[in-house]
Amino acid sequence: MDGLTKKDQFERSKIDLHAPDQMKCWPHALGVSKEELRKVADKVGNSAAAVRKELERTVTKEHELNAECAQEARRQAALLPPGPVRDALLEKARQYELASKTDLHHNAKEPPLGSC
């Protein structure tokens, strides 16, 4: 009787890329797309901890790159006289700075027990 009322639960330490219920829950729980989850899992394996670690490493690298781009855009803008090109570079620098401060995987957490 329990089998009729309870949904199957999956092992939360592993990611099964072939299970539709997990491919619904894990991308949501990690704050990534299904394609990004597949790409990372192909690279590091199906361990949830390894996938989380790789996603964090990737986000950190992206933040650093965005910060460098913001700095370079501001440096280039400082060399230009006031005008639309300089304003565009400063706007781009602000966009890079915002991207460097945004945590793309801010909702990374354990998937809920049962289905999503």
Side-chain angles (χ1 to χ4, degrees):
M1 187 63 137
D2 284 337
L4 298 176
T5 59
K6 292 185 179 179
K7 293 187 178 187
D8 291 334
Q9 294 181 1
F10 54 86
E11 183 182 354
R12 293 186 298 164
S13 66
K14 302 288 182 196
I15 300 172
D16 183 354
L17 300 175
H18 304 292
D21 61 329
Q22 288 194 36
M23 286 309 291
K24 180 181 176 187
C25 291
W26 278 109
H28 175 73
L30 296 172
V32 298
S33 68
K34 290 178 182 181
E35 294 76 25
E36 187 175 4
L37 177 59
R38 285 188 205 316
K39 183 179 174 185
V40 172
D42 286 345
K43 181 177 180 181
V44 299
N46 70 341
S47 164
V51 169
R52 278 193 191 87
K53 186 175 181 179
E54 180 63 17
L55 288 172
E56 182 61 32
R57 189 189 67 74
T58 302
V59 168
T60 301
K61 194 174 193 179
E62 289 173 9
H63 287 198
E64 290 171 357
L65 182 59
N66 283 327
E68 289 174 18
C69 289
Q71 184 179 15
E72 180 61 19
R74 288 200 179 280
R75 189 183 72 71
Q76 292 290 329
L79 300 174
L80 296 172
V85 174
R86 181 177 184 209
D87 293 344
L89 270 174
L90 290 173
E91 177 58 30
K92 195 64 177 172
R94 281 190 285 275
Q95 291 172 3
Y96 280 127
E97 287 168 348
L98 180 61
S100 74
K101 294 173 183 164
T102 303
D103 187 357
L104 300 177
H105 307 292
H106 67 282
N107 5 335
K109 58 185 180 271
E110 289 292 323
L113 291 174
S115 67
C116 291

